[in-house]
Amino acid sequence: MKTVVIPLDSAAPDKEALAEAARVLRRGGLVAFPTETVYGLGAHALDAAAAARIFAAKGRPANNPLIVHLADAAGVQQVVANWPEPAERLVKRFWPGPLTLVLPRRDTVPDVVTAKGPTVAVRVPAHPVAQALLRTADVPIAAPSANRSTELSPTRAEHVLRSLDGRIEMLLDGGPTSGGIESTVLDLTTTPPRLLRPGPISIAELEAEIGTVARVCSSTVAARNGLHPLPSPGMMPRHYAPRTPLECIETGKEPECLASLLRAKRRIGWVTFAGPGERIVPSEVHLRVLPSDPAGYAAQLYAVLHELDVAGLDHILVTLPPDTEDWLAVRDRLRRAAHS
Ligand code: TXA
Ligand code: MG
């Protein structure tokens, strides 16, 4: 299959192009599109055969459910059975935006979308292209990140092509995404609600709206202890990983680590964040310095990892940001990206 790539001006997306993408979706095809977090791989969410094609294109295990995207909160009624009071408050504050809510599903949602579970994940994205596509298609769109399963999420159209060229009908290229990491996922079917995936909306922001949120996203612990089924299958420990081996190290350990890799003649990439003091780095090391604030860092992280991943390196070292709650989402993605 040939993947048609359509460049779109995010500020004023071309109506004809959107109409064509909407036609492809309504006929059961796959269209990748930008959201404010990462690129999504979209299919008609109420068409079981279309949604099943997402799993085939990604090589995604059937037990990992999909997020259903809607143009606005009113549209959620099509897929959700009931709407608890905390959902109302969260939606008023954070939608459209990078917050996914897990709620009781309606029977209209095909089993393939929910992995046969009793719940469905829903989100109203803020990106103007995602918004325009949802409104033009006028159907709920199931969309995981537009990458092959376990690989790095895409924040640019070229990342999508690297992973899915020839496997999908269409790609809407709206330029780099701004958020850079996947949405926060919150399960509202439990008391208290549970954070399934940390993301751009922090626990503190959620708790300011709805009170206590349980932190069960200690993914590696759950998976190692063989908890089954996983509360959120995306909590698999190895996920979002580049092909090049990636190792996370604590601040201060870098000189020692770099020296031993260089002695072994390894080609190295090193990702760290801006901080005080000078860095003395051997010229053969591919150094990338990210912003020292969590949002700025997250916005660039995947693009930098994609770039280093195609640079023909043997090893990517990443200095871990501080172990504080504001860095929770970034540290979660880094741990999953690490091969060891
Ligand atoms: O930012 C995002 O959320 C992006 C953009 C495209 O919207 N999408 C995304 O989708 O990251 P995906 O499929 O890569 O991750 C969805 C996560 C997975 O961890 C999945 O297991 C979880 O949400 N999930 C989906 N439905 C669920 C459900 N009913 N119950 C629990 N977890 C669910
Ligand atoms: Mg994903």
Side-chain angles (χ1 to χ4, degrees):
M1 170 191 322
K2 172 140 179 48
T3 300
V4 177
V5 182
I6 305 187
L8 276 183
D9 175 1
S10 281
D14 179 66
K15 289 213 168 61
E16 264 312 301
L18 287 168
E20 183 52 31
R23 267 195 296 277
V24 172
L25 283 170
R26 293 178 66 103
R27 283 191 200 130
L30 301 180
V31 177
F33 62 95
T35 80
E36 74 278 33
T37 58
V38 300
Y39 273 74
L41 173 55
H44 188 330
L46 304 182
D47 175 341
R53 288 194 53 213
I54 289 180
F55 289 81
K58 278 182 65 94
R60 182 177 176 107
N63 69 350
N64 195 357
L66 304 175
I67 298 174
V68 177
H69 296 67
L70 302 123
D72 51 41
V76 173
Q77 287 172 20
Q78 296 172 75
V79 294
V80 155
N82 68 63
W83 189 243
E85 204 268 330
E88 195 64 44
R89 266 179 281 158
L90 291 169
V91 159
K92 278 213 179 89
R93 171 83 173 76
F94 298 113
W95 278 3
L99 175 65
T100 295
L101 299 177
V102 173
L103 291 161
R105 72 185 271 199
R106 277 176 71 154
D107 292 342
T108 44
V109 187
D111 274 346
V112 62
V113 170
T114 64
K116 300 205 172 102
T119 60
V120 62
V122 288
R123 157 164 133 79
V124 171
H127 195 288
V129 171
Q131 272 286 327
L133 181 64
L134 283 159
R135 290 189 192 283
T136 310
D138 198 24
V139 292
I141 298 179
S145 51
N147 52 281
R148 296 273 295 164
S149 188
T150 78
E151 292 190 346
L152 281 177
S153 289
T155 57
R156 298 172 183 214
E158 72 208 54
H159 304 157
V160 178
L161 284 179
R162 190 177 161 219
S163 206
L164 296 172
D165 195 10
R167 294 175 170 271
I168 62 178
E169 275 82 4
M170 190 177 276
L171 162 60
L172 301 179
D173 178 357
T177 66
S178 59
I181 58 170
E182 305 83 352
S183 62
T184 303
V185 180
L186 183 71
D187 184 354
L188 284 178
T189 65
T190 59
T191 313
R194 303 184 299 174
L195 182 74
L196 297 181
R197 180 172 71 184
I201 309 281
S202 70
I203 297 183
E205 288 175 287
L206 296 173
E207 290 191 330
E209 292 300 319
I210 59 167
T212 305
V213 167
R215 295 149 172 76
V216 292
C217 58
S218 125
S219 50
T220 40
V221 176
R224 273 199 210 113
N225 292 344
L227 292 184
H228 190 74
L230 291 169
S232 183
M235 295 167 73
M236 308 278 267
R238 170 135 197 271
H239 207 74
Y240 315 114
R243 295 169 196 177
T244 314
L246 182 149
E247 181 186 357
C248 298
I249 50 171
E250 299 293 339
T251 309
K253 296 259 163 58
E254 302 96 333
E256 196 187 314
C257 215
L258 288 170
S260 101
L261 286 164
L262 286 172
R263 268 196 306 277
K265 301 253 177 301
R266 313 298 280 170
R267 282 161 301 167
I268 312 163
W270 176 25
V271 181
T272 184
F273 47 92
E278 240 184 84
R279 250 176 235 99
I280 300 159
V281 183
S283 58
E284 60 266 49
V285 174
H286 294 238
L287 174 69
R288 296 290 180 278
V289 181
L290 293 176
S292 57
D293 66 293
Y297 185 111
Q300 292 178 37
L301 175 62
Y302 287 148
V304 161
L305 292 182
H306 274 284
E307 187 201 335
L308 292 176
D309 205 19
V310 294
L313 304 172
D314 299 311
H315 206 88
I316 301 172
L317 274 185
V318 183
T319 304
L320 278 171
D323 190 6
T324 53
E325 206 143 274
D326 51 342
W327 285 99
L328 190 66
V330 162
R331 285 177 60 103
D332 168 78
R333 301 311 188 276
L334 288 175
R335 272 199 310 271
R336 292 162 198 259
H339 286 233
S340 52

